């Protein structure tokens, strides 16, 4: 398509957003601008349209963090509609009522679209009513065999079709092709060195701490919203690496530690990040904590050495709070590698 259309439209409940929705949006993002309407009537009492729209914004936030949600170079304009404020018709209303509601809403907003993207049988008639082109995306659900109804009925059974950020809001964690093993610890406690050594020893992959990457990219000037983005992006990098890993995937840090840093730097934590922290016990097959006993290395990005003991204690407290069992590793790198391999062998 390559921007042959100026403005595209996607309409849905996104209750909750799943991989099928993501396929739809990412296919539709071949236009110059994509308008996304999120609504249902009756709506979810626990995760209303405004919340689900926020999840989409979180999913498609980029490194810059300030340009608004986008897919590639295509900006997303995401609107959450409600029966009270916007007159959303009941879900059971006839097709003509539903189509006319969208037509009138777009007209009131001064939004002109060229094409509608859908994964539903109603798509052609909907587009014809609006007087625009239609593109069907995986209507048979062969590429992503899931629906919002199935997820609502049993989120755990369909977690594989959910992005980790969305899954966490539902209290579940998607399965991985290989077990994920996570390493936590204070700054300069040897996590990265240990992960790299284990990956080499086991012939597999490991995932560096994405928070460190973004921290350096932004010259140490992280914003509050960056912390949720760090957790989301780190989870995505884990999932990408898991597809290439052999037998086990080693991960440097997790969303729970990112939540701690959110409280440390900003004295608050986004509820979506809290949810991602809360499912870390499900996400990782084993948790190791690196004792802060290796020599401290100040690389210009870390806090003072005196903070290590406090950070170590906070991590242990958080693990106890979430009821996550862990193994403490100490000694040289070689000794730590041996300790981890012995535990995993059991």
């Amino acid at each position: 398509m390559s921007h042959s259309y100026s403005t595209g439209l996607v309409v849905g409940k996104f209750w909750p957003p799943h991989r099928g929705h993501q396929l739809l949006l990412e296919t539709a993002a071949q236009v110059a601008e994509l308008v996304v309407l999120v609504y249902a009537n009756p709506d979810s009492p626990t995760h209303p349209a405004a919340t689900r729209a926020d999840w989409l914004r979180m999913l498609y936030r980029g490194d810059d963090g300030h340009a608004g949600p986008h897919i590639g170079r295509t900006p997303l304009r995401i609107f959450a509609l409600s029966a009270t404020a916007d007159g959303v018709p009941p879900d059971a209303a006839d097709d003509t009522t539903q189509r006319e509601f969208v037509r009138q809403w777009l007209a009131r907003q001064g939004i002109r679209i060229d094409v509608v993207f859908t994964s539903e049988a109603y798509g052609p008639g909907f587009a014809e009513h609006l007087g625009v082109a239609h593109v069907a995306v995986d209507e048979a659900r062969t590429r992503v065999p899931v629906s919002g109804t199935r997820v609502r009925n049993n989120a755990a059974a369909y977690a594989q079709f959910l992005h980790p950020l969305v899954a966490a809001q539902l209290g579940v964690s998607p399965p991985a092709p290989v077990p994920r093993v996570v390493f936590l610890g204070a700054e300069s406690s040897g996590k990265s060195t240990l992960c790299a050594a284990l990956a080499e020893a086991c012939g597999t992959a490991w995932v560096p701490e994405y928070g460190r990457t973004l921290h350096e990219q932004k010259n140490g000037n992280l914003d509050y919203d960056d912390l949720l983005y760090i957790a989301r992006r780190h989870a995505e990098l884990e999932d990408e690496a898991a597809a290439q890993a052999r037998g086990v995937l080693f991960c440097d840090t997790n969303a729970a530690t990112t939540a701690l840093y959110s409280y440390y730097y900003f004295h608050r934590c986004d509820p979506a990040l809290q949810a991602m922290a809360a499912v870390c016990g499900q996400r990782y097959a084993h948790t190791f904590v690196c004792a802060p006993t290796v020599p401290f290395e100040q690389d210009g990005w870390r806090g003072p050495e005196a903070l290590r003991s406090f950070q170590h204690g906070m991590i242990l407290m958080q693990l106890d709070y979430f009821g996550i069992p862990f193994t403490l590793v100490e000694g040289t790198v070689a000794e730590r590698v041996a300790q981890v391999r012995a535990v995993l062998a059991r």
Side-chain angles (χ1 to χ4, degrees):
M1 189 176 302
S2 187
H3 295 276
S4 58
Y5 293 106
S6 175
T7 304
L9 174 68
V10 171
V11 173
K13 295 180 182 179
F14 298 93
W15 184 3
H18 52 65
R19 295 292 189 185
H21 292 127
Q22 290 189 256
L23 174 63
L24 175 62
L25 293 172
E26 289 160 19
T27 302
Q30 299 174 62
V31 297
E33 179 185 61
L34 184 61
V35 175
V36 182
L37 305 187
V38 182
Y39 62 87
N41 182 12
D43 206 355
S44 167
T46 53
H47 303 120
T51 298
R52 303 193 303 273
D54 279 342
W55 292 350
L56 292 177
R57 296 185 186 103
M58 295 172 194
L59 286 180
Y60 292 110
R61 187 216 125 140
D63 281 355
D64 47 41
H66 302 291
H70 55 275
I71 301 174
R73 296 183 178 181
T74 300
L76 306 184
R77 297 179 64 188
I78 302 172
F79 299 89
L81 311 185
S82 72
T84 302
D86 303 283
V88 170
D91 293 346
D94 61 84
D95 286 347
T96 300
T97 300
Q98 300 285 3
R99 296 164 181 172
E100 184 61 15
F101 163 73
V102 174
R103 190 192 69 79
Q104 292 186 19
W105 186 91
L106 291 170
R108 290 196 300 270
Q109 304 301 315
I111 297 174
R112 299 184 63 180
I113 63 169
D114 307 294
V115 57
V116 171
F117 297 81
T118 75
S119 296
E120 306 286 352
Y122 69 72
F126 179 36
E128 183 179 8
H129 189 93
L130 298 180
V132 301
H134 174 254
V135 175
V137 181
D138 195 28
E139 184 179 331
R141 306 294 172 91
T142 55
R143 295 178 63 184
V144 187
V146 71
S147 69
T149 301
R150 292 177 180 175
V151 177
R152 289 195 298 275
N153 290 338
N154 192 342
Y158 292 94
Q160 62 181 310
F161 298 111
L162 299 174
H163 185 284
L165 184 148
V166 175
Q169 315 314 305
L170 306 178
V172 298
S173 181
V178 296
R180 286 174 289 229
V181 173
V182 65
F183 294 83
L184 309 179
E187 292 180 334
S188 189
S189 59
K191 302 188 304 298
S192 300
T193 302
L194 181 56
C195 280
L198 281 162
E200 182 176 0
C202 299
T204 188
W206 72 285
V207 183
E209 179 183 0
Y210 180 72
R212 169 65 180 254
T213 301
L214 189 64
H215 190 255
E216 292 182 7
Q217 286 178 359
K218 300 191 70 171
N219 199 31
N221 298 314
L222 293 178
D223 299 317
Y224 170 67
D225 291 340
D226 288 332
L227 276 295
L228 174 58
Y229 175 70
I230 286 168
R232 187 211 96 193
R233 188 69 190 118
H234 187 89
E236 291 172 345
L237 291 170
E238 285 185 2
D239 288 351
E240 292 169 13
Q244 309 299 323
R246 294 184 176 183
V248 63
L249 177 67
F250 298 113
C251 307
D252 178 353
T253 309
N254 62 10
T257 295
T258 304
L260 283 181
Y261 277 109
S262 184
Y263 283 111
Y264 176 72
Y265 286 117
F266 302 103
H267 305 160
R268 56 192 174 125
C269 183
D270 191 294
L273 176 52
Q274 292 175 347
M276 293 188 73
V279 298
C280 282
Q282 298 179 49
R283 185 170 177 84
Y284 301 96
H286 203 99
T287 299
F288 292 91
V289 178
C290 295
T293 52
V294 297
F296 182 80
E297 294 183 10
Q298 179 52 267
D299 57 5
W301 299 103
R302 294 173 174 142
E305 181 177 2
L307 280 176
R308 281 207 303 179
S309 179
F310 173 75
Q311 291 171 340
H312 182 67
M314 291 300 293
I315 289 168
L316 297 182
M317 182 187 76
Q318 187 186 52
L319 290 170
D320 285 342
Y321 175 79
F322 285 127
I324 299 175
F326 64 91
T327 301
L328 184 71
V329 292
E330 302 183 82
T332 66
V333 174
E335 290 169 339
R336 293 181 179 203
V337 168
Q339 290 167 32
V340 171
R341 298 191 74 176
V343 170
L344 296 182
R346 293 197 297 267

mmCIF file of all heavy atoms in Angstrom, residues 126-163:
data_model
loop_
_atom_site.group_PDB
_atom_site.id
_atom_site.type_symbol
_atom_site.label_atom_id
_atom_site.label_comp_id
_atom_site.label_asym_id
_atom_site.label_seq_id
_atom_site.Cartn_x
_atom_site.Cartn_y
_atom_site.Cartn_z
ATOM 1 N N PHE A 126 -19.444 -1.760 6.203
ATOM 2 C CA PHE A 126 -19.059 -0.603 7.008
ATOM 3 C C PHE A 126 -18.339 0.416 6.139
ATOM 4 O O PHE A 126 -18.656 1.617 6.144
ATOM 5 C CB PHE A 126 -18.177 -1.089 8.155
ATOM 6 C CG PHE A 126 -17.673 -0.029 9.086
ATOM 7 C CD1 PHE A 126 -18.443 1.063 9.431
ATOM 8 C CD2 PHE A 126 -16.398 -0.134 9.644
ATOM 9 C CE1 PHE A 126 -17.965 2.040 10.309
ATOM 10 C CE2 PHE A 126 -15.911 0.820 10.515
ATOM 11 C CZ PHE A 126 -16.703 1.917 10.838
ATOM 12 N N ALA A 127 -17.368 -0.044 5.362
ATOM 13 C CA ALA A 127 -16.611 0.864 4.503
ATOM 14 C C ALA A 127 -17.508 1.492 3.440
ATOM 15 O O ALA A 127 -17.385 2.692 3.135
ATOM 16 C CB ALA A 127 -15.464 0.100 3.846
ATOM 17 N N GLU A 128 -18.422 0.693 2.890
ATOM 18 C CA GLU A 128 -19.334 1.227 1.874
ATOM 19 C C GLU A 128 -20.215 2.339 2.457
ATOM 20 O O GLU A 128 -20.450 3.368 1.808
ATOM 21 C CB GLU A 128 -20.210 0.102 1.326
ATOM 22 C CG GLU A 128 -21.152 0.544 0.219
ATOM 23 C CD GLU A 128 -21.990 -0.594 -0.316
ATOM 24 O OE1 GLU A 128 -21.950 -1.700 0.268
ATOM 25 O OE2 GLU A 128 -22.689 -0.380 -1.326
ATOM 26 N N HIS A 129 -20.682 2.151 3.699
ATOM 27 C CA HIS A 129 -21.498 3.176 4.345
ATOM 28 C C HIS A 129 -20.707 4.468 4.527
ATOM 29 O O HIS A 129 -21.275 5.573 4.398
ATOM 30 C CB HIS A 129 -21.988 2.660 5.704
ATOM 31 C CG HIS A 129 -23.002 3.550 6.356
ATOM 32 N ND1 HIS A 129 -24.362 3.375 6.202
ATOM 33 C CD2 HIS A 129 -22.853 4.632 7.179
ATOM 34 C CE1 HIS A 129 -25.012 4.296 6.883
ATOM 35 N NE2 HIS A 129 -24.119 5.079 7.496
ATOM 36 N N LEU A 130 -19.433 4.338 4.816
ATOM 37 C CA LEU A 130 -18.586 5.522 5.006
ATOM 38 C C LEU A 130 -18.093 6.096 3.680
ATOM 39 O O LEU A 130 -17.529 7.194 3.648
ATOM 40 C CB LEU A 130 -17.386 5.176 5.889
ATOM 41 C CG LEU A 130 -17.683 4.710 7.315
ATOM 42 C CD1 LEU A 130 -16.375 4.400 8.047
ATOM 43 C CD2 LEU A 130 -18.490 5.749 8.081
ATOM 44 N N GLY A 131 -18.275 5.340 2.599
ATOM 45 C CA GLY A 131 -17.841 5.801 1.289
ATOM 46 C C GLY A 131 -16.338 5.756 1.098
ATOM 47 O O GLY A 131 -15.768 6.606 0.405
ATOM 48 N N VAL A 132 -15.686 4.739 1.697
ATOM 49 C CA VAL A 132 -14.229 4.633 1.619
ATOM 50 C C VAL A 132 -13.845 3.209 1.228
ATOM 51 O O VAL A 132 -14.694 2.317 1.167
ATOM 52 C CB VAL A 132 -13.565 5.013 2.962
ATOM 53 C CG1 VAL A 132 -13.922 6.444 3.359
ATOM 54 C CG2 VAL A 132 -13.970 4.029 4.070
ATOM 55 N N ALA A 133 -12.550 2.997 0.990
ATOM 56 C CA ALA A 133 -12.045 1.677 0.647
ATOM 57 C C ALA A 133 -11.993 0.786 1.886
ATOM 58 O O ALA A 133 -12.051 1.265 3.024
ATOM 59 C CB ALA A 133 -10.651 1.803 0.029
ATOM 60 N N HIS A 134 -11.884 -0.513 1.641
ATOM 61 C CA HIS A 134 -11.804 -1.475 2.741
ATOM 62 C C HIS A 134 -10.649 -2.430 2.511
ATOM 63 O O HIS A 134 -10.393 -2.863 1.380
ATOM 64 C CB HIS A 134 -13.094 -2.282 2.865
ATOM 65 C CG HIS A 134 -13.008 -3.385 3.883
ATOM 66 N ND1 HIS A 134 -12.903 -4.727 3.537
ATOM 67 C CD2 HIS A 134 -12.975 -3.337 5.239
ATOM 68 C CE1 HIS A 134 -12.832 -5.448 4.640
ATOM 69 N NE2 HIS A 134 -12.865 -4.642 5.678
ATOM 70 N N VAL A 135 -9.928 -2.758 3.610
ATOM 71 C CA VAL A 135 -8.868 -3.755 3.567
ATOM 72 C C VAL A 135 -9.146 -4.772 4.675
ATOM 73 O O VAL A 135 -9.256 -4.394 5.851
ATOM 74 C CB VAL A 135 -7.472 -3.129 3.765
ATOM 75 C CG1 VAL A 135 -6.406 -4.219 3.841
ATOM 76 C CG2 VAL A 135 -7.166 -2.162 2.627
ATOM 77 N N ALA A 136 -9.281 -6.037 4.289
ATOM 78 C CA ALA A 136 -9.497 -7.105 5.267
ATOM 79 C C ALA A 136 -8.147 -7.639 5.739
ATOM 80 O O ALA A 136 -7.218 -7.807 4.942
ATOM 81 C CB ALA A 136 -10.313 -8.233 4.651
ATOM 82 N N VAL A 137 -8.048 -7.889 7.054
ATOM 83 C CA VAL A 137 -6.806 -8.378 7.649
ATOM 84 C C VAL A 137 -7.111 -9.632 8.469
ATOM 85 O O VAL A 137 -7.749 -9.555 9.516
ATOM 86 C CB VAL A 137 -6.151 -7.307 8.544
ATOM 87 C CG1 VAL A 137 -4.841 -7.838 9.136
ATOM 88 C CG2 VAL A 137 -5.906 -6.019 7.763
ATOM 89 N N ASP A 138 -6.672 -10.781 7.998
ATOM 90 C CA ASP A 138 -6.800 -12.041 8.732
ATOM 91 C C ASP A 138 -8.221 -12.272 9.247
ATOM 92 O O ASP A 138 -8.427 -12.623 10.415
ATOM 93 C CB ASP A 138 -5.799 -12.068 9.905
ATOM 94 C CG ASP A 138 -5.612 -13.471 10.484
ATOM 95 O OD1 ASP A 138 -5.787 -14.443 9.731
ATOM 96 O OD2 ASP A 138 -5.297 -13.580 11.689
ATOM 97 N N GLU A 139 -9.198 -12.087 8.358
ATOM 98 C CA GLU A 139 -10.594 -12.259 8.781
ATOM 99 C C GLU A 139 -10.868 -13.665 9.269
ATOM 100 O O GLU A 139 -11.662 -13.884 10.190
ATOM 101 C CB GLU A 139 -11.526 -11.905 7.624
ATOM 102 C CG GLU A 139 -13.004 -11.966 8.003
ATOM 103 C CD GLU A 139 -13.913 -11.580 6.853
ATOM 104 O OE1 GLU A 139 -13.480 -10.775 6.003
ATOM 105 O OE2 GLU A 139 -15.049 -12.089 6.804
ATOM 106 N N ALA A 140 -10.182 -14.650 8.706
ATOM 107 C CA ALA A 140 -10.394 -16.043 9.105
ATOM 108 C C ALA A 140 -9.683 -16.399 10.403
ATOM 109 O O ALA A 140 -9.834 -17.513 10.921
ATOM 110 C CB ALA A 140 -9.915 -16.976 7.997
ATOM 111 N N ARG A 141 -8.904 -15.458 10.933
ATOM 112 C CA ARG A 141 -8.138 -15.661 12.180
ATOM 113 C C ARG A 141 -7.190 -16.866 12.071
ATOM 114 O O ARG A 141 -7.034 -17.626 13.027
ATOM 115 C CB ARG A 141 -9.083 -15.843 13.375
ATOM 116 C CG ARG A 141 -10.109 -14.729 13.538
ATOM 117 C CD ARG A 141 -9.466 -13.400 13.877
ATOM 118 N NE ARG A 141 -10.427 -12.304 13.847
ATOM 119 C CZ ARG A 141 -11.126 -11.879 14.892
ATOM 120 N NH1 ARG A 141 -10.951 -12.483 16.058
ATOM 121 N NH2 ARG A 141 -11.970 -10.885 14.773
ATOM 122 N N THR A 142 -6.581 -17.027 10.910
ATOM 123 C CA THR A 142 -5.623 -18.120 10.747
ATOM 124 C C THR A 142 -4.235 -17.723 11.231
ATOM 125 O O THR A 142 -3.494 -18.563 11.742
ATOM 126 C CB THR A 142 -5.551 -18.546 9.271
ATOM 127 O OG1 THR A 142 -5.238 -17.403 8.460
ATOM 128 C CG2 THR A 142 -6.876 -19.141 8.819
ATOM 129 N N ARG A 143 -3.872 -16.462 11.089
ATOM 130 C CA ARG A 143 -2.545 -16.010 11.510
ATOM 131 C C ARG A 143 -2.483 -15.823 13.023
ATOM 132 O O ARG A 143 -1.476 -16.130 13.656
ATOM 133 C CB ARG A 143 -2.176 -14.705 10.797
ATOM 134 C CG ARG A 143 -2.025 -14.858 9.295
ATOM 135 C CD ARG A 143 -1.721 -13.544 8.620
ATOM 136 N NE ARG A 143 -0.438 -12.981 9.065
ATOM 137 C CZ ARG A 143 0.013 -11.787 8.668
ATOM 138 N NH1 ARG A 143 -0.712 -11.041 7.836
ATOM 139 N NH2 ARG A 143 1.173 -11.333 9.104
ATOM 140 N N VAL A 144 -3.563 -15.304 13.597
ATOM 141 C CA VAL A 144 -3.628 -15.120 15.055
ATOM 142 C C VAL A 144 -4.981 -15.651 15.513
ATOM 143 O O VAL A 144 -5.970 -14.921 15.557
ATOM 144 C CB VAL A 144 -3.466 -13.642 15.464
ATOM 145 C CG1 VAL A 144 -3.370 -13.528 16.986
ATOM 146 C CG2 VAL A 144 -2.234 -13.020 14.803
ATOM 147 N N PRO A 145 -5.048 -16.938 15.863
ATOM 148 C CA PRO A 145 -6.335 -17.568 16.203
ATOM 149 C C PRO A 145 -6.814 -17.232 17.613
ATOM 150 O O PRO A 145 -6.738 -18.053 18.534
ATOM 151 C CB PRO A 145 -6.032 -19.056 16.047
ATOM 152 C CG PRO A 145 -4.571 -19.165 16.370
ATOM 153 C CD PRO A 145 -3.937 -17.906 15.842
ATOM 154 N N VAL A 146 -7.314 -16.022 17.788
ATOM 155 C CA VAL A 146 -7.785 -15.595 19.102
ATOM 156 C C VAL A 146 -8.858 -14.535 18.916
ATOM 157 O O VAL A 146 -8.987 -13.940 17.843
ATOM 158 C CB VAL A 146 -6.605 -15.027 19.945
ATOM 159 C CG1 VAL A 146 -6.157 -13.678 19.391
ATOM 160 C CG2 VAL A 146 -6.972 -14.923 21.421
ATOM 161 N N SER A 147 -9.622 -14.301 19.960
ATOM 162 C CA SER A 147 -10.618 -13.226 19.966
ATOM 163 C C SER A 147 -10.665 -12.621 21.357
ATOM 164 O O SER A 147 -10.240 -13.245 22.338
ATOM 165 C CB SER A 147 -12.007 -13.772 19.593
ATOM 166 O OG SER A 147 -12.504 -14.614 20.634
ATOM 167 N N GLY A 148 -11.198 -11.411 21.444
ATOM 168 C CA GLY A 148 -11.329 -10.765 22.740
ATOM 169 C C GLY A 148 -12.210 -11.564 23.684
ATOM 170 O O GLY A 148 -11.939 -11.641 24.882
ATOM 171 N N THR A 149 -13.260 -12.182 23.146
ATOM 172 C CA THR A 149 -14.157 -12.979 23.983
ATOM 173 C C THR A 149 -13.415 -14.137 24.634
ATOM 174 O O THR A 149 -13.584 -14.412 25.835
ATOM 175 C CB THR A 149 -15.324 -13.520 23.140
ATOM 176 O OG1 THR A 149 -16.036 -12.418 22.563
ATOM 177 C CG2 THR A 149 -16.274 -14.338 23.994
ATOM 178 N N ARG A 150 -12.594 -14.824 23.865
ATOM 179 C CA ARG A 150 -11.835 -15.945 24.422
ATOM 180 C C ARG A 150 -10.890 -15.479 25.531
ATOM 181 O O ARG A 150 -10.770 -16.141 26.570
ATOM 182 C CB ARG A 150 -11.037 -16.631 23.316
ATOM 183 C CG ARG A 150 -11.886 -17.365 22.291
ATOM 184 C CD ARG A 150 -11.012 -17.943 21.196
ATOM 185 N NE ARG A 150 -11.795 -18.660 20.179
ATOM 186 C CZ ARG A 150 -11.286 -19.180 19.077
ATOM 187 N NH1 ARG A 150 -9.976 -19.071 18.844
ATOM 188 N NH2 ARG A 150 -12.052 -19.806 18.220
ATOM 189 N N VAL A 151 -10.235 -14.366 25.309
ATOM 190 C CA VAL A 151 -9.303 -13.860 26.326
ATOM 191 C C VAL A 151 -10.056 -13.460 27.581
ATOM 192 O O VAL A 151 -9.626 -13.755 28.705
ATOM 193 C CB VAL A 151 -8.491 -12.674 25.779
ATOM 194 C CG1 VAL A 151 -7.589 -12.108 26.867
ATOM 195 C CG2 VAL A 151 -7.639 -13.097 24.585
ATOM 196 N N ARG A 152 -11.206 -12.792 27.420
ATOM 197 C CA ARG A 152 -11.990 -12.381 28.591
ATOM 198 C C ARG A 152 -12.449 -13.592 29.391
ATOM 199 O O ARG A 152 -12.503 -13.553 30.621
ATOM 200 C CB ARG A 152 -13.202 -11.543 28.161
ATOM 201 C CG ARG A 152 -12.853 -10.167 27.648
ATOM 202 C CD ARG A 152 -14.069 -9.267 27.576
ATOM 203 N NE ARG A 152 -15.095 -9.735 26.660
ATOM 204 C CZ ARG A 152 -15.120 -9.494 25.358
ATOM 205 N NH1 ARG A 152 -14.127 -8.804 24.801
ATOM 206 N NH2 ARG A 152 -16.108 -9.926 24.593
ATOM 207 N N ASN A 153 -12.769 -14.672 28.700
ATOM 208 C CA ASN A 153 -13.260 -15.868 29.385
ATOM 209 C C ASN A 153 -12.155 -16.643 30.091
ATOM 210 O O ASN A 153 -12.396 -17.294 31.109
ATOM 211 C CB ASN A 153 -13.982 -16.779 28.396
ATOM 212 C CG ASN A 153 -15.303 -16.197 27.923
ATOM 213 O OD1 ASN A 153 -15.882 -15.342 28.596
ATOM 214 N ND2 ASN A 153 -15.781 -16.654 26.782
ATOM 215 N N ASN A 154 -10.923 -16.583 29.553
ATOM 216 C CA ASN A 154 -9.824 -17.350 30.146
ATOM 217 C C ASN A 154 -8.501 -16.745 29.699
ATOM 218 O O ASN A 154 -7.859 -17.235 28.766
ATOM 219 C CB ASN A 154 -9.907 -18.825 29.736
ATOM 220 C CG ASN A 154 -8.968 -19.702 30.552
ATOM 221 O OD1 ASN A 154 -8.024 -19.220 31.178
ATOM 222 N ND2 ASN A 154 -9.216 -21.006 30.547
ATOM 223 N N ALA A 155 -8.079 -15.687 30.380
ATOM 224 C CA ALA A 155 -6.866 -14.964 29.980
ATOM 225 C C ALA A 155 -5.631 -15.856 30.056
ATOM 226 O O ALA A 155 -4.750 -15.789 29.194
ATOM 227 C CB ALA A 155 -6.680 -13.733 30.852
ATOM 228 N N ALA A 156 -5.562 -16.720 31.060
ATOM 229 C CA ALA A 156 -4.380 -17.578 31.222
ATOM 230 C C ALA A 156 -4.223 -18.529 30.039
ATOM 231 O O ALA A 156 -3.107 -18.783 29.575
ATOM 232 C CB ALA A 156 -4.467 -18.355 32.527
ATOM 233 N N ALA A 157 -5.339 -19.065 29.537
ATOM 234 C CA ALA A 157 -5.278 -20.022 28.442
ATOM 235 C C ALA A 157 -4.836 -19.381 27.133
ATOM 236 O O ALA A 157 -4.282 -20.067 26.263
ATOM 237 C CB ALA A 157 -6.636 -20.691 28.254
ATOM 238 N N TYR A 158 -5.065 -18.083 26.991
ATOM 239 C CA TYR A 158 -4.734 -17.388 25.749
ATOM 240 C C TYR A 158 -3.638 -16.344 25.945
ATOM 241 O O TYR A 158 -3.466 -15.456 25.101
ATOM 242 C CB TYR A 158 -5.991 -16.743 25.158
ATOM 243 C CG TYR A 158 -6.991 -17.768 24.663
ATOM 244 C CD1 TYR A 158 -8.031 -18.197 25.477
ATOM 245 C CD2 TYR A 158 -6.858 -18.334 23.398
ATOM 246 C CE1 TYR A 158 -8.927 -19.167 25.035
ATOM 247 C CE2 TYR A 158 -7.751 -19.295 22.952
ATOM 248 C CZ TYR A 158 -8.781 -19.706 23.774
ATOM 249 O OH TYR A 158 -9.663 -20.665 23.328
ATOM 250 N N ALA A 159 -2.876 -16.474 27.025
ATOM 251 C CA ALA A 159 -1.825 -15.490 27.319
ATOM 252 C C ALA A 159 -0.785 -15.411 26.213
ATOM 253 O O ALA A 159 -0.164 -14.369 26.014
ATOM 254 C CB ALA A 159 -1.157 -15.822 28.650
ATOM 255 N N GLN A 160 -0.595 -16.511 25.472
ATOM 256 C CA GLN A 160 0.390 -16.499 24.393
ATOM 257 C C GLN A 160 0.038 -15.495 23.299
ATOM 258 O O GLN A 160 0.903 -15.104 22.507
ATOM 259 C CB GLN A 160 0.500 -17.889 23.776
ATOM 260 C CG GLN A 160 -0.792 -18.381 23.143
ATOM 261 C CD GLN A 160 -0.663 -19.769 22.553
ATOM 262 O OE1 GLN A 160 0.263 -20.041 21.803
ATOM 263 N NE2 GLN A 160 -1.582 -20.671 22.896
ATOM 264 N N PHE A 161 -1.221 -15.093 23.249
ATOM 265 C CA PHE A 161 -1.664 -14.139 22.233
ATOM 266 C C PHE A 161 -1.726 -12.707 22.773
ATOM 267 O O PHE A 161 -2.339 -11.834 22.142
ATOM 268 C CB PHE A 161 -3.040 -14.540 21.691
ATOM 269 C CG PHE A 161 -3.042 -15.883 21.018
ATOM 270 C CD1 PHE A 161 -3.702 -16.959 21.593
ATOM 271 C CD2 PHE A 161 -2.371 -16.080 19.825
ATOM 272 C CE1 PHE A 161 -3.707 -18.210 20.980
ATOM 273 C CE2 PHE A 161 -2.370 -17.326 19.206
ATOM 274 C CZ PHE A 161 -3.031 -18.391 19.782
ATOM 275 N N LEU A 162 -1.112 -12.479 23.932
ATOM 276 C CA LEU A 162 -1.128 -11.157 24.552
ATOM 277 C C LEU A 162 0.286 -10.606 24.667
ATOM 278 O O LEU A 162 1.227 -11.342 24.970
ATOM 279 C CB LEU A 162 -1.747 -11.220 25.949
ATOM 280 C CG LEU A 162 -3.198 -11.688 26.053
ATOM 281 C CD1 LEU A 162 -3.599 -11.832 27.517
ATOM 282 C CD2 LEU A 162 -4.130 -10.716 25.333
ATOM 283 N N HIS A 163 0.424 -9.329 24.429
ATOM 284 C CA HIS A 163 1.693 -8.663 24.702
ATOM 285 C C HIS A 163 1.937 -8.730 26.209
ATOM 286 O O HIS A 163 0.989 -8.664 27.003
ATOM 287 C CB HIS A 163 1.615 -7.201 24.243
ATOM 288 C CG HIS A 163 2.899 -6.460 24.356
ATOM 289 N ND1 HIS A 163 3.388 -6.005 25.564
ATOM 290 C CD2 HIS A 163 3.813 -6.084 23.418
ATOM 291 C CE1 HIS A 163 4.538 -5.381 25.360
ATOM 292 N NE2 HIS A 163 4.827 -5.418 24.073
#
